[in-house]
Amino acid sequence: MARELGPRIEEILEEVVGDTGPVLWLTGAGISAESGIPTFRGEEGYWQVGSRHYQPQEMATWRSFCRMPDEVWAWYLYRRSVCRAADPNSAHRALADLEEALGDGFCLVTQNVDGLHLRAGNSLARTYQIHGNIDYMRRADVDSPAIPIPETVGEDWTRERALDDEARALLCFPDGAPARPHVLWFDECYDEPNYRLDSAVSVAAACRLLVVVGTTGGTNLPLQIGMIAARRGKPIIVINPESNPFVSLGDSDRVTFLQGTAGAWVPRLAARIEERMGSAAV
Ligand code: OAD
């Protein structure tokens, strides 16, 4: 049976309805789990080179890309195939509907590189992809805007498939400069041009409510966003099947934990926010 959002959520919405600033959603791999994309720290998250298994933390690095670009590219093309085979789920769709209703009263910061929020209909202007997008590449030699990976690279990359000459040639710029995946690696820093660092920090300070969905908070910026919102006394709602560090941010009475999946809670919460704020959007 569907669980009710409960009186605490109604109190929060009553409190923020007259505030300014967007309702900020911060999402992680958990929101795409019901689309069939393995979470980052789930069992599918390993990486194989030869006979050895690596964890992404060892391999998703600039250092590894410099040492073995073909292997790193092959891994990302495989993961890109998994993402492109997946469809947005009810939680993604609910956030696209909510943006349509709230306009600038809505903002989304996502750690997911799968592009599913955009495919569901969220706009690039209000979606900060702070870890990049697996469908894009940029120059490996100098800073450059990201561009889509050519369609001709194909979407049927299995985990075992190695990079061939044809793909290698497509993963270059017209002057022959090699491309890299447009994703943030573990030995790299957030920035504004690629990953919307400043925009994400600013919206954390300006938001009226923060909703955190499906993340362990294992990286720096997402937790920082939570801390900024908590320090400013903003209400925080956490949606996750398990507890995480966001649940204990700031004063306990400012954080509400909706335990369960994104599919169970996000459409219901988004619909209720739209009912309360749709007409009063910024
Ligand atoms: P994780 O794999 O660390 O965490 C997934 C979270 O989703 C966990 O808290 C699960 O409890 C939760 N979860 C699982 N199924 C869910 C469901 N159906 N609905 C809602 N929540 C569910 O993924 P992230 O926290 O997104 O960064 O990982 C963050 C970052 O860690 C990644 O973007 C990556 C890595 O460092 C970089 O690559 C820079």
Side-chain angles (χ1 to χ4, degrees):
M1 202 176 76
R3 279 173 289 176
E4 295 300 320
L5 286 168
R8 180 65 196 129
I9 297 294
E10 294 301 330
E11 280 171 23
I12 292 170
L13 298 185
E14 179 62 28
E15 175 192 327
V16 303
V17 71
D19 274 356
T20 56
V23 176
L24 175 58
W25 294 74
L26 170 62
T27 65
I31 198 167
S32 296
E34 289 156 271
S35 291
I37 299 180
T39 58
F40 209 84
R41 292 174 174 80
E43 288 192 353
E44 293 293 304
Y46 75 83
W47 191 323
Q48 193 167 344
V49 176
S51 57
R52 237 202 100 178
H53 287 180
Y54 293 85
Q55 291 303 311
Q57 285 85 337
E58 298 173 76
M59 292 295 286
T61 62
W62 169 249
R63 201 162 154 261
S64 294
F65 180 71
C66 293
R67 214 174 57 236
M68 40 175 145
D70 283 7
E71 284 80 1
V72 171
W73 258 122
W75 168 253
Y76 277 100
L77 292 175
Y78 157 64
R79 284 188 56 208
R80 171 176 175 262
S81 294
V82 172
C83 295
R84 286 174 74 110
D87 291 315
N89 61 48
S90 61
H92 296 109
R93 289 194 299 273
L95 294 190
D97 291 346
L98 188 61
E99 180 182 352
E100 201 180 331
L102 299 189
D104 284 341
F106 173 95
C107 192
L108 173 58
V109 172
T110 187
Q111 298 162 78
N112 300 341
V113 298
D114 56 37
L116 286 181
H117 286 300
L118 299 181
R119 280 171 53 200
N122 285 115
S123 71
L124 189 55
R126 299 192 191 100
T127 304
Y128 304 158
Q129 301 176 105
I130 59 170
H131 293 167
N133 185 318
I134 204 160
D135 239 350
Y136 284 70
M137 63 185 201
R138 60 182 207 264
R139 291 179 74 106
D141 54 347
V142 291
D143 287 340
S144 75
I147 60 168
I149 291 174
E151 286 300 326
T152 39
V153 168
E155 292 178 18
D156 50 352
W157 288 81
T158 58
R159 196 190 276 268
E160 293 76 30
R161 184 171 164 191
L163 208 70
D164 52 27
D165 287 344
E166 197 185 334
R168 211 174 285 117
L170 289 165
L171 298 170
C172 281
F173 283 80
D175 65 355
R180 56 163 286 171
H182 177 51
V183 295
L184 180 69
W185 284 326
F186 287 97
D187 53 354
E188 296 181 312
C189 297
Y190 290 103
D191 65 27
E192 177 64 18
N194 290 309
Y195 305 114
R196 309 296 306 270
L197 168 64
D198 304 336
S199 304
V201 168
S202 300
V203 74
C207 71
R208 65 172 95 177
L209 162 68
L210 172 65
V211 188
V212 182
V213 186
T215 176
T216 49
T219 48
N220 179 300
L221 181 55
L223 266 185
Q224 200 188 331
I225 288 170
M227 284 190 281
I228 293 169
R231 237 183 279 126
R232 293 190 170 233
K234 311 288 181 182
I236 299 174
I237 299 171
V238 179
I239 295 175
N240 204 302
E242 296 163 19
S243 187
N244 64 19
F246 293 94
V247 173
S248 32
L249 275 178
D251 297 339
S252 56
D253 69 333
R254 306 302 289 154
V255 182
T256 305
F257 181 30
L258 293 177
Q259 185 159 22
T261 62
W265 287 122
V266 172
R268 216 169 310 155
L269 179 61
R272 190 67 190 124
I273 291 174
E274 183 178 338
E275 277 169 13
R276 290 302 316 268
M277 291 179 201
S279 53
V282 175

